[in-house]
Amino acid sequence: MTREVVLAARPQGVPQETDFELRETDDPELADGEVLVRNVFVSVDPYMRGRMTGVRTYVGPYEVGGSIDGGAVGRVVASKYDGLSEGDWVASMLGWRERGVADGERLRKLDPSLAPPSTALGVLGMTGFTAWVGLVRIAEVKEGETIYVSGAAGAVGSAAVQIAKLKGLRVIGSAGSDEKVEWLRSLGLEAFNYRTTPAKEALAEGIDVYFDNIGGEQLEAALTALRPFGRVAACGAISRYNDQRAEAGPRNLGFVVTKRLRVHGFIVSDHTAEFGDFMREVAPWVAKGQIECRETVVEGLENVPAAFTGLFHGHNTGKMLVRVGPD
């Protein structure tokens, strides 16, 4: 038997721990080409909130009573796939469970001597790849430009500000606590607490690029601050994910026309062919310690719901992970 977290009810507003349930299930038998993996870390991510609504967007919804797939890192327990052996570290989409079976072709083998395996869920996984795609492919950032990143102490945001800094940009980031702002400043960035300093005030000198993780008021402030021909990489809008009714959009969308702005939404899964390019550029920075891989780690599979709901209350600095098993 193994354990997994399932969706017990569709969240209404901010997710509650009671929207999830821990249950036992049998380990399936291995078929040829499959691998049994024991998870060590599982990921909780804001995009999962949209999958809990029951509405299909760019990916299918989670079903009530069904398992929750998502990023995970673990060790191979048994393998009927030639490329993987017992004990190997792998990244998967097995999600919120202790053990699971996956097609060997869909697993990414990790080398723990190059970077801690947990980074495959953070700066060297979907999180960092999202930041890189937004900066390099969507916003097409250039050395010497000024970029503003909202949610800069979060998983994607903290990767984005550090990559942008390494690419020679002036970087401004916002976060929701003085402690997070202090960390961002220690990375050599300009930073402010959006709860105490209005973004319009902090961005008064103007910006060339906005990397949007928050939406809402932050997007409105950025549209005011953007210079003519500025760009917005629209990555997420976590401030709106739990709305129970549609809110009015930014009141200054007219700037998109008058300033000739480019607003480009993106989904990282559209860029999987470029993952190798991302790794070739970013992995050496991680290996040299030029990117700080801050993680917030919660212990125990039973605490996955608390970790997930914590995302919407700012409980994480950097990547939020749940350790569900020993290394």
Side-chain angles (χ1 to χ4, degrees), residues 2 27 30 34-42 71-80 83-95 97-102 107-113 115-118 120-121 322-327:
T2 187
D27 276 335
L30 281 183
E34 291 185 333
V35 180
L36 175 63
V37 179
R38 173 180 60 80
N39 282 339
V40 176
F41 293 100
V42 301
V73 160
R75 309 291 295 269
V76 172
V77 175
S79 175
K80 290 189 176 181
L84 293 168
S85 302
E86 182 180 347
D88 285 345
W89 281 96
V90 292
S92 74
M93 289 296 290
L94 285 171
R97 52 168 56 94
E98 290 175 325
R99 292 192 303 275
V101 170
L107 299 173
R108 177 161 65 100
K109 187 176 180 179
L110 305 175
D111 185 347
S113 69
S118 61
L121 297 175
V322 180
R323 184 192 296 273
V324 300
D327 291 355

Side-chain angles (χ1 to χ4, degrees), residues 1-23:
M1 300 291 291
T2 187
R3 299 185 303 164
E4 63 181 6
V5 175
V6 303
L7 185 66
R10 299 208 181 279
Q12 303 299 312
V14 178
Q16 306 296 313
E17 293 182 46
T18 52
D19 294 325
F20 306 95
E21 183 178 294
L22 189 65
R23 74 178 180 193

Side-chain angles (χ1 to χ4, degrees), residues 30-260:
L30 281 183
D32 288 343
E34 291 185 333
V35 180
L36 175 63
V37 179
R38 173 180 60 80
N39 282 339
V40 176
F41 293 100
V42 301
S43 181
V44 293
D45 298 285
Y47 83 89
M48 292 175 158
R49 177 63 181 86
R51 298 188 66 185
M52 294 172 187
T53 63
V55 178
R56 181 180 178 86
T57 54
Y58 61 92
V59 65
Y62 296 127
E63 298 299 331
V64 173
S67 58
I68 297 176
D69 61 275
V73 160
R75 309 291 295 269
V76 172
V77 175
S79 175
K80 290 189 176 181
Y81 176 71
D82 288 341
L84 293 168
S85 302
E86 182 180 347
D88 285 345
W89 281 96
V90 292
S92 74
M93 289 296 290
L94 285 171
W96 296 357
R97 52 168 56 94
E98 290 175 325
R99 292 192 303 275
V101 170
D103 186 331
E105 294 286 349
R106 299 180 66 84
L107 299 173
R108 177 161 65 100
K109 187 176 180 179
L110 305 175
D111 185 347
S113 69
L114 300 179
S118 61
T119 60
L121 297 175
V123 71
L124 293 181
M126 182 183 70
T127 297
F129 188 35
T130 299
W132 183 87
V133 167
L135 294 170
V136 175
R137 296 293 183 249
I138 305 303
E140 299 176 332
V141 297
K142 302 175 183 64
E143 184 178 356
E145 291 186 317
T146 298
I147 185 171
Y148 169 48
V149 180
S150 58
V156 173
S158 61
V161 293
Q162 293 184 79
I163 294 171
K165 183 73 175 177
L166 287 163
K167 285 184 168 292
L169 280 78
R170 176 193 175 200
V171 183
I172 305 171
S174 65
S177 73
D178 290 341
E179 182 182 13
K180 291 179 180 181
V181 167
E182 184 179 348
W183 175 55
L184 292 172
R185 289 174 177 168
S186 76
L187 298 175
L189 317 174
E190 300 173 44
F192 66 95
N193 185 337
Y194 70 86
R195 299 184 191 277
T196 56
T197 301
K200 288 183 180 180
E201 177 183 316
L203 305 176
E205 293 182 15
I207 59 176
D208 301 297
V209 179
Y210 173 45
F211 193 110
D212 189 17
N213 291 305
I214 302 298
E217 294 180 1
Q218 298 297 309
L219 175 58
E220 183 171 301
L223 291 175
T224 297
L226 280 161
R227 301 180 179 117
F229 301 101
R231 291 96 71 202
V232 176
C235 176
I238 195 171
S239 69
R240 303 267 69 95
Y241 288 173
N242 297 312
D243 288 350
Q244 293 183 270
R245 62 181 179 84
E247 298 291 337
R251 296 165 292 182
N252 57 352
L253 281 174
F255 282 141
V256 174
V257 177
T258 59
K259 295 184 181 183
R260 288 84 83 203

Side-chain angles (χ1 to χ4, degrees), residues 296-315:
T296 298
V297 180
V298 174
E299 298 288 339
L301 182 70
E302 65 278 5
N303 292 317
V304 166
F308 178 67
T309 61
L311 292 173
F312 302 97
H313 299 287
H315 291 174

Side-chain angles (χ1 to χ4, degrees), residues 253-311:
L253 281 174
F255 282 141
V256 174
V257 177
T258 59
K259 295 184 181 183
R260 288 84 83 203
L261 304 177
R262 175 159 60 88
V263 181
H264 191 161
F266 70 101
I267 302 297
V268 72
S269 57
D270 293 336
H271 299 266
T272 52
E274 299 177 85
F275 189 79
D277 294 336
F278 154 72
M279 288 292 286
R280 280 185 284 275
E281 181 166 31
V282 177
W285 287 334
V286 173
K288 295 174 185 176
Q290 293 176 280
I291 292 180
E292 184 175 332
C293 307
R294 182 69 68 94
E295 297 173 341
T296 298
V297 180
V298 174
E299 298 288 339
L301 182 70
E302 65 278 5
N303 292 317
V304 166
F308 178 67
T309 61
L311 292 173

